[in-house]
Amino acid sequence: MPVTTEKKKRLSVYLEPDLKRRLTDFADWRKQSASLIAEAAIASFLSPDADERREAAVVKRLDRIDRNLQRLERDLEIASETLALFVRSWLNSTVSLPESEQVIARATGARRYERFVEALGRRFASGPKLRDEISDHTAPREAPPMQSE
C-alpha cells in the first residue's frame, strides 16, 4: 500500500459476530491489528487486478480438473478396450461343453476366478498398472487394408 502524508480516515463497519471473531483471531495469529488486516483486505478487493487474479486461480483449477478428466477418460478407454478384446478372444476360442461336463467346469471356473481375484488384488496393491504399461504416444490408428474379392 502506498504511504501518504494524509492522515488516515476512520471508517465504522458492522460485521457479523462470526466474521468479527475470525478477523480478530487472524489478527492475533499474525500479530497485527484488525484494522490493518481489514485495510489490506479492502485494498485487495478494490484492486484493479483482483478479478484477474481470481480468474487466473479459477483457470488453473479448471486446467487441473481437465487434465484429471482426460486421464480418467484414457484409463476408461483402456479398460473398455481390454475387456472387449478379452471377451472377443474368449468367445472365439471357447467351445460349448456338453451338459454332463458343465458342473465340473463351473467348479473349476470358480477356483480359477478366486485365483484371478487374488492376483488382481496383489497387482493393485503393489504391481505396475496397465495404464503405465501402455505408452501415451501410441501410433495413430490406420484403416485396415482393403480386401479384394
Side-chain angles (χ1 to χ4, degrees):
M1 275 178 265
V3 177
T4 63
T5 56
E6 270 187 64
K7 185 177 177 185
K8 290 187 177 184
K9 304 290 183 189
R10 180 182 177 99
L11 171 68
S12 295
V13 295
Y14 293 96
L15 300 174
E16 293 290 329
D18 182 57
L19 184 57
K20 173 66 170 120
R21 180 191 52 76
R22 289 172 44 206
L23 174 61
T24 303
D25 291 347
F26 186 75
D28 291 344
W29 178 72
R30 296 286 305 259
K31 295 181 175 52
Q32 295 178 333
S33 71
S35 180
L36 182 65
I37 303 285
E39 183 180 4
I42 293 169
S44 176
F45 183 80
L46 297 175
S47 169
D49 66 340
D51 288 337
E52 287 90 14
R53 282 185 284 144
R54 276 193 294 274
E55 183 178 344
V58 169
V59 166
K60 184 177 177 182
R61 288 183 194 122
L62 288 174
D63 286 344
R64 188 176 65 239
I65 290 169
D66 185 53
R67 285 190 307 275
N68 289 341
L69 285 174
Q70 287 176 354
R71 274 194 301 274
L72 283 171
E73 183 180 0
R74 177 181 171 267
D75 291 351
L76 182 59
E77 185 176 352
I78 289 170
S80 298
E81 290 298 321
T82 302
L83 179 61
L85 185 63
F86 172 78
V87 168
R88 180 177 294 134
S89 174
W90 184 79
L91 290 173
N92 287 335
S93 63
T94 305
V95 296
S96 297
L97 294 175
E99 195 136 340
S100 61
E101 296 177 21
Q102 287 183 6
V103 173
I104 296 170
R106 281 192 198 103
T108 303
R111 286 192 303 273
R112 292 173 70 190
Y113 180 75
E114 287 298 320
R115 288 196 307 265
F116 166 76
V117 170
E118 289 171 5
L120 184 63
R122 284 191 306 273
R123 184 170 172 109
F124 264 99
S126 62
K129 304 294 185 271
L130 178 62
R131 70 171 177 240
D132 298 331
E133 295 176 9
I134 297 176
S135 171
D136 281 350
H137 306 289
T138 56
R141 295 181 186 173
E142 294 181 16
M146 299 289 286
Q147 293 181 350
S148 58
E149 297 196 22

